Amino acid sequence: MDKLIESDKAKEFRLLIEESEKIVLTCHVRPDGDAIGSTLGLWHLLRSLGKEAVVVVPDKAPVSLSFLPGFKELAVYTCHKEYCETTVSSADLIICCDFNTPSRQDALAPVIQNAHCRKVLVDHHQEPDEFADLMISYPDMSSTCEVCFRVIAAMGFFGEVNLDCATCLLTGIITDTRNFSVNIKHSDIYEILMRLLDKGADKERIVKEALNTRSYWSLRLEAYALSERMRIFPHHRAALITLDRETLERFHYERGDTEGLVNRPLEIKGVAYSIFMRQDSDCVKVSGRSVGGFPVSEICKQLFGGGGHLQAAGGEFYGTLEDCEQLLIDNMSRFDRYLSKAPHERIVM
Ligand code: 5GP
Ligand code: MN
């Protein structure tokens, strides 16, 4: 299971951990299950190794993850700026999880980048920037939590994985694979699942809490979005959902409420990709998902300055929601060449 991790990298990581006393773990803005699962998972491991560790996140994590052990200990940069800055500046090692470029940390980016200590990247996104001293990057893995598990095993720390660590790691794997249904390239992920279950992780509870629990308003917002705000573009085999501020306020929107919404149009037979645009306070947040190998990451990269994975990507647009929508519609035909030409692959309405 640890064979996919280069042994010199595991050795170097182990040495860096052993040499450090104060360790900061950090992840991307608008953190998801994999970002929080990987940072908190490694946090539990480091604590069982007797290290002083702090997880510093750029902004608040969704309440759907509040069941995770250690969630209350997260240091949120937007809430406790000074504490986070002092902690980062006094760290002797920073472990960056689940992002491939510093800009994914928003305002926290310069704080992390200007820190003088050594940095390790643990990630699974394509084409990472070389911003860390040690790059543990495996884009063909399902999740950063999968990378974490394998690297922990490769470092010889499997014995130090406790129930809390196992719970966090399994959560990231479950959220990034949508309960083992997408993004799986290595079949031994099921062996990893077995090992985490053996540590006592409660899969049923994780699936319920992290994937299948939501607020009343969030469910209503999703129903409204699908019924009133979803447009289908049959020629491009595309679906687009947009939500403006007014609608979000009407449905008492809270962070995390639209998690998973972008996946729903993919349930329609023939839809190759789905784009969701949400008007946030500072920008329009764009999310893309696709099936059948359509590279939705290209759309996010070329039109919205973002990226991610081939079939799950995102970006941002600075302008009005209408302009964002128009930009996509005007450029849809450019991406038609990626659509499979098989005649049965049509949208059935
Ligand atoms: P989500 O749609 O859940 O926000 O993100 C899906 C995937 O795209 C994640 O793997 C995430 O890291 C990536 N992603 C989301 N937003 C951005 C962005 O603004 N820039 C880049 N480079 N990647 C993003
Ligand atoms: Mn991830």
Side-chain angles (χ1 to χ4, degrees):
M1 237 158 10
D2 51 5
K3 62 186 182 293
L4 297 170
I5 304 287
E6 293 131 286
S7 64
D8 53 333
K9 294 207 171 187
K11 264 188 212 139
E12 197 181 336
F13 193 15
R14 185 180 168 129
L15 200 65
L16 283 171
I17 291 173
E18 283 170 348
E19 284 171 0
S20 308
E21 281 315 314
K22 295 181 174 183
I23 303 176
V24 161
L25 299 130
T26 190
C27 64
H28 59 78
V29 72
R30 300 182 205 97
D32 56 7
D34 194 29
I36 299 297
S38 56
T39 47
L40 277 182
L42 289 176
W43 181 74
H44 287 294
L45 177 87
L46 294 172
R47 282 163 51 105
S48 26
L49 292 169
K51 304 292 173 185
E52 199 179 304
V54 178
V55 176
V56 175
V57 291
D59 57 352
K60 276 189 189 163
V63 284
S64 61
L65 298 172
S66 59
F67 74 99
L68 285 178
F71 184 87
K72 285 203 188 83
E73 308 294 321
L74 296 173
V76 181
Y77 186 58
T78 48
C79 305
H80 302 103
K81 235 174 138 196
E82 244 172 66
Y83 170 75
C84 292
E85 284 170 4
T86 319
T87 307
V88 170
S89 65
S90 65
D92 23 57
L93 181 67
I94 297 177
I95 304 175
C96 300
C97 295
D98 202 37
F99 63 100
N100 58 354
T101 178
S103 63
R104 289 283 288 139
Q105 291 206 293
D106 276 10
L108 181 60
V111 180
I112 298 294
Q113 295 309 307
N114 295 335
H116 295 297
C117 67
R118 280 170 298 185
K119 288 163 207 146
V120 179
L121 173 75
V122 183
D123 182 45
H124 72 131
H125 290 90
Q126 294 166 349
E127 300 169 10
D129 292 347
E130 291 272 338
F131 64 89
D133 303 280
L134 174 60
M135 303 280 292
I136 301 182
S137 162
Y138 292 93
D140 62 342
M141 288 190 193
S142 68
S143 52
T144 297
C145 282
E146 180 183 346
V147 181
C148 284
F149 181 92
R150 291 183 193 271
V151 85
I152 288 170
M155 288 191 292
F157 287 146
F158 181 72
E160 276 70 33
V161 173
N162 57 20
L163 169 60
D164 289 345
C165 173
T167 300
C168 293
L169 295 184
L170 187 54
T171 297
I173 295 174
I174 285 176
T175 53
D176 266 25
T177 63
R178 301 208 72 79
N179 197 14
F180 298 90
S181 62
V182 292
N183 299 335
I184 291 171
K185 298 247 173 65
H186 303 287
S187 58
D188 60 353
I189 186 86
Y190 295 103
E191 208 177 318
I192 295 178
L193 168 63
M194 263 166 47
R195 298 292 188 93
L196 294 172
L197 294 175
D198 287 345
K199 293 276 183 184
D202 184 344
K203 181 169 179 282
E204 226 170 274
R205 173 160 187 244
I206 294 170
V207 171
K208 173 71 184 136
E209 298 273 4
L211 290 181
N212 296 333
T213 298
R214 60 198 310 170
S215 70
Y216 166 80
W217 282 111
S218 141
L219 188 64
R220 288 200 60 173
L221 176 61
E222 179 164 307
Y224 174 82
L226 293 173
S227 147
E228 307 298 324
R229 295 294 170 93
M230 180 178 69
R231 294 169 67 185
I232 300 291
F233 299 83
H235 297 300
H236 308 292
R237 293 181 47 210
L240 170 64
I241 295 175
T242 58
L243 290 177
D244 54 49
R245 265 329 309 159
E246 212 185 350
T247 305
L248 292 167
E249 276 160 27
R250 201 175 121 209
F251 286 88
H252 307 270
Y253 172 78
E254 278 180 35
R255 181 182 292 269
D257 279 357
T258 54
E259 193 72 43
L261 172 61
V262 65
N263 293 290
R264 299 299 308 273
L266 298 177
E267 294 169 26
I268 301 169
K269 190 169 165 55
V271 167
Y273 68 97
S274 160
I275 303 284
F276 167 50
M277 298 173 179
R278 185 187 63 226
Q279 197 171 37
D280 279 357
S281 50
D282 54 338
C283 67
V284 178
K285 179 72 197 118
V286 179
S287 279
R289 296 289 186 276
S290 63
V291 288
F294 181 92
V296 79
S297 51
E298 280 304 309
I299 294 185
C300 293
K301 194 165 142 189
Q302 293 180 34
L303 304 181
F304 305 113
H309 313 282
L310 195 78
Q311 303 202 137
E316 291 170 348
F317 180 81
Y318 290 84
T320 65
L321 183 62
E322 292 72 25
D323 286 349
C324 184
E325 205 174 330
Q326 204 53 51
L327 178 69
L328 174 69
I329 295 169
D330 290 346
N331 284 282
M332 268 183 184
S333 55
R334 280 176 48 203
F335 301 95
D336 286 349
R337 63 196 173 93
Y338 295 115
L339 296 169
S340 153
K341 295 287 181 288
H344 64 276
E345 288 186 344
R346 273 186 284 111
I347 294 181
V348 179
M349 311 251 293

